Amino acid sequence: MPGDIVLLGAPGAGKGTQAQILRQRFGYRQVSTGDLLREHRAKGTELGKAAESFMERGDLVPDSLIIKMVEGELEGPGAVLFDGFPRTVPQAKALDVLLADRGRGLPRAVYFAIERAALEARLLGRWTNPRTGRVYHETFNPPRVAGIDDEDGGPLVQREDDKPETIANRLDVFEAQTMPLVAYYEEHGGRLVSVDATGSVEDVAHQLVHAIGVEHAH
Ligand code: ADP
Ligand code: AMP
């Protein structure tokens, strides 16, 4: 069985897009903390209410809340792709412990390398299916009919935090709080590989499959 994988990269780097491809092709289970938090907000849970103001500003939700939420997602068959988690060094350390406690190996991380300048255009043109988390881009990866999901025919929405001021803060937060994870995964077991995330969706998928070695799994 392939091991658990952390997709590490800035907002807009393409983590969700690639997670969806790997899930379909190789049967990974995707754990996206952003999608989980948006579900909590939609349902109006205590966690959703606690997370709301952080998400609206583009700040990180406190580690303790995130770690507790992820703990509930670890049971179940198959290898997991963590998408948007961990985002801080304490979260990365907690994940290593949670997986070890369950007799799973340490996760490997794939860093999506991309210049900040490319990210704003990706985020400003992003359209999402809130029911499934599937993402499109109005120019780079458009649906067949604008505003409509190809798969379930339902409406696509633009995320509230995909607006210029919030994007700028999210990218600053990424550089300050999440970039240190590149060194964390390099220094704790040489667990980091990088892909060039500037190419086409298929090009990045191809690199990713090689980077994590799943091309021989099927
Ligand atoms: P993340 O999950 O890292 O925030 P997404 O997967 O949601 O990023 O991608 C952000 C936006 O960029 C989406 O609109 C998506 O369609 C688009 N996108 C993803 N990968 C690529 C790519 N390789 N080239 C161009 N656009 C991309
Ligand atoms: P994403 O969908 O990954 O872009 O996440 C959207 C928002 O959810 C972020 O801007 C944060 O406010 C919050 N969030 C998602 N994942 C995490 C995490 N691992 N740690 C802290 N906050 C998170």
Side-chain angles (χ1 to χ4, degrees):
M1 185 187 91
D4 300 315
I5 303 284
V6 167
L7 302 181
L8 179 60
K15 304 178 297 295
T17 300
Q18 297 299 330
Q20 184 194 318
I21 292 174
L22 290 176
R23 198 177 65 190
Q24 283 169 352
R25 292 189 191 162
F26 302 103
Y28 280 98
R29 215 148 52 78
Q30 179 183 2
V31 172
S32 160
T33 45
D35 285 349
L36 291 169
L37 289 167
R38 282 183 287 277
E39 274 172 38
H40 277 277
R41 287 182 62 185
K43 288 186 192 148
T45 68
E46 286 304 310
L47 171 58
K49 287 178 199 152
E52 194 168 274
S53 63
F54 297 100
M55 293 174 76
E56 279 171 357
R57 289 193 301 273
D59 288 335
L60 295 185
V61 174
D63 288 339
S64 56
L65 298 178
I66 296 289
I67 292 163
K68 205 164 132 208
M69 180 178 79
V70 168
E71 194 171 358
E73 300 291 324
L74 294 179
E75 312 304 334
V80 176
L81 279 177
F82 293 98
D83 163 13
F85 172 86
R87 265 173 150 99
T88 63
V89 171
Q91 289 181 18
K93 289 184 174 164
L95 178 62
D96 285 351
V97 172
L98 287 173
L99 293 175
D101 284 351
R102 285 160 179 75
R104 302 172 86 117
L106 291 176
R108 287 184 298 149
V110 183
Y111 173 59
F112 284 54
I114 185 165
E115 296 281 330
R116 181 170 170 141
L119 297 169
E120 190 174 59
R122 285 197 182 182
L123 294 171
L124 286 173
R126 171 158 69 183
W127 289 78
T128 308
N129 179 334
R131 299 164 299 284
T132 63
R134 179 166 180 164
V135 287
Y136 295 87
H137 190 282
E138 58 194 27
T139 312
F140 307 138
N141 182 23
R144 284 196 294 270
V145 179
I148 300 293
D149 186 65
D150 291 349
E151 278 173 348
D152 71 7
L156 300 172
V157 299
Q158 286 195 289
R159 276 171 47 179
E160 263 181 44
D161 57 350
D162 282 344
K163 57 179 184 232
E165 320 81 80
T166 321
I167 289 172
N169 186 44
R170 286 159 65 208
L171 297 178
D172 288 346
V173 165
F174 172 77
E175 283 166 18
Q177 301 193 54
T178 308
M179 267 310 270
L181 293 185
V182 168
Y184 177 85
Y185 284 113
E186 257 165 9
E187 288 160 14
H188 294 79
R191 289 187 272 149
L192 188 86
V193 287
S194 296
V195 293
D196 173 0
T198 54
S200 68
V201 170
E202 263 313 312
D203 173 60
V204 178
H206 187 72
Q207 293 181 59
L208 199 52
V209 162
H210 283 276
I212 62 182
V214 283
E215 74 265 42
H216 304 302
H218 282 240

